[in-house]
């Protein structure tokens, strides 16, 4: 299958691209940074997803995965409007199999920088809009809304023991996801999955569910 993935030069996007390549698919990556993947079935387009006038005409894709995102850097323009732009250009068409958004746990719980939270909340709603519109093609659209992932972006807290201990206190599984795990999820939801659609799937190690039931003690 032909797969389009944004934000493939590092982190989650790179991991997802490498997973699809390993499984024998043809991958086109879009990133404003130079390519970090060298593979015979990988094509890299160096481009800012905000620049709609630069979107090239490409052969139809079976799968579109919107991963590109930033924090505290015109988040709404990149994370939300860029995602919409790429999806409308390459994902809404006959023959599409799956569109996947990489959302964020913060889109569910609001616990992040203001514009980042707003951008990811918008992605969650847009996911449902796309799912409704591509259902007539037999295609699915979902978002994977990760909590903590072990990437370069998160080094400021990963390398600070006090902050890391505080985060682990809130995470019942006592660990964060690996990039490889995010890629496995992305592959399953776009290749294996054919019926789950319009869903915002929260994958955060139960951090959001770490509530403590308060009630008077009894003898029972």
């Amino acid at each position: 299958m032909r797969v389009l993935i944004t934000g493939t030069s590092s982190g989650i996007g790179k991991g997802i691209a490498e997973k699809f390549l390993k499984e024998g698919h043809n991958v086109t990556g879009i990133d404003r940074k130079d390519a970090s993947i060298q593979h015979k079935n990988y094509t890299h387009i160096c481009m800012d997803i905000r620049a709609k006038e630069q979107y090239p005409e490409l052969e139809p894709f079976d799968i579109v995965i919107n991963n590109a995102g930033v924090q505290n850097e015109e988040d709404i323009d990149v994370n939300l409007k860029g995602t919409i732009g790429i999806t409308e250009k390459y994902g809404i068409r006959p023959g599409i199999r799956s569109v996947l958004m990489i959302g964020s746990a913060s889109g569910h719980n609001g616990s992040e920088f203001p514009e980042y939270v707003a951008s990811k909340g918008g992605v969650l709603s847009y996911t449902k809009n796309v799912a409704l519109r591509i259902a007539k093609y037999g295609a699915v659209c979902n978002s994977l809304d990760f909590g903590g992932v072990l990437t370069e972006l998160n080094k400021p807290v990963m390398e600070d023991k006090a902050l890391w201990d505080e985060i682990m206190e809130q995470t019942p599984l006592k660990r964060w996801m690996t990039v490889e795990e995010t890629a496995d999820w992305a592959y399953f939801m776009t290749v294996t999955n054919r019926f789950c659609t319009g869903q915002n799937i929260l994958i955060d190690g139960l951090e959001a569910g770490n509530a403590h039931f308060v009630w008077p003690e009894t003898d029972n």
Side-chain angles (χ1 to χ4, degrees):
M1 284 187 280
R2 299 188 73 250
V3 186
L4 176 65
I5 307 171
T6 63
T8 53
S9 289
S10 62
I12 293 172
K14 182 179 180 182
I16 293 173
E18 290 175 335
K19 169 70 174 180
F20 276 86
L21 290 167
K22 180 181 178 181
E23 297 295 334
H25 301 281
N26 292 298
V27 176
T28 296
I30 295 177
D31 201 297
R32 62 185 181 182
K33 297 179 181 178
D34 292 337
S36 61
I37 298 172
Q38 301 298 323
H39 192 284
K40 65 179 181 178
N41 292 328
Y42 178 75
T43 301
H44 190 79
I45 299 173
C46 195
M47 182 185 72
D48 190 321
I49 62 172
R50 291 172 293 183
K52 293 182 182 180
E53 70 282 357
Q54 296 180 18
Y55 288 5
E57 296 300 324
L58 300 169
E59 291 295 317
F61 294 99
D62 301 291
I63 296 170
V64 173
I65 299 176
N66 289 287
N67 165 76
V70 297
Q71 286 182 332
N72 287 332
E73 187 188 338
E74 299 184 345
D75 296 18
I76 291 174
D77 286 340
V78 177
N79 302 351
L80 180 55
K81 292 183 179 180
T83 290
I84 292 173
I86 291 293
T87 303
E88 297 296 321
K89 177 70 174 179
Y90 303 111
I92 312 294
R93 59 162 196 85
I96 190 71
R97 177 189 179 90
S98 179
V99 176
L100 180 69
M101 317 297 184
I102 302 302
S104 172
S106 65
H108 293 256
N109 58 34
S111 180
E112 210 90 38
F113 307 109
E115 283 201 9
Y116 183 80
V117 168
S119 71
K120 291 300 186 178
V123 167
L124 269 58
S125 296
Y126 181 59
T127 296
K128 298 181 183 298
N129 173 270
V130 173
L132 289 169
R133 293 162 60 204
I134 65 175
K136 62 185 177 183
Y137 306 131
V140 299
C141 178
N142 298 283
S143 69
L144 293 177
D145 310 328
F146 301 128
V149 181
L150 298 171
T151 66
E152 292 283 327
L153 182 67
N154 288 317
K155 275 193 171 182
V157 293
M158 290 163 52
E159 295 179 347
D160 185 311
K161 186 178 185 306
L163 292 178
W164 186 249
D165 288 346
E166 184 178 346
I167 290 169
M168 288 299 100
E169 186 66 26
Q170 299 178 45
T171 309
L173 283 181
K174 305 305 179 189
R175 71 177 184 90
W176 272 3
M177 290 186 79
T178 65
V179 168
E180 291 75 20
E181 285 176 307
T182 69
D184 287 342
W185 270 99
Y187 193 84
F188 174 79
M189 291 305 298
T190 55
V191 176
T192 306
N193 167 54
R194 304 302 306 132
F195 199 68
C196 175
T197 191
Q199 301 305 303
N200 306 128
I201 302 173
L202 177 63
I203 308 171
D204 70 343
L206 200 60
E207 180 180 341
N210 192 13
H212 301 284
F213 182 59
V214 178
W215 197 253
E217 291 186 10
T218 65
D219 294 332
N220 295 329

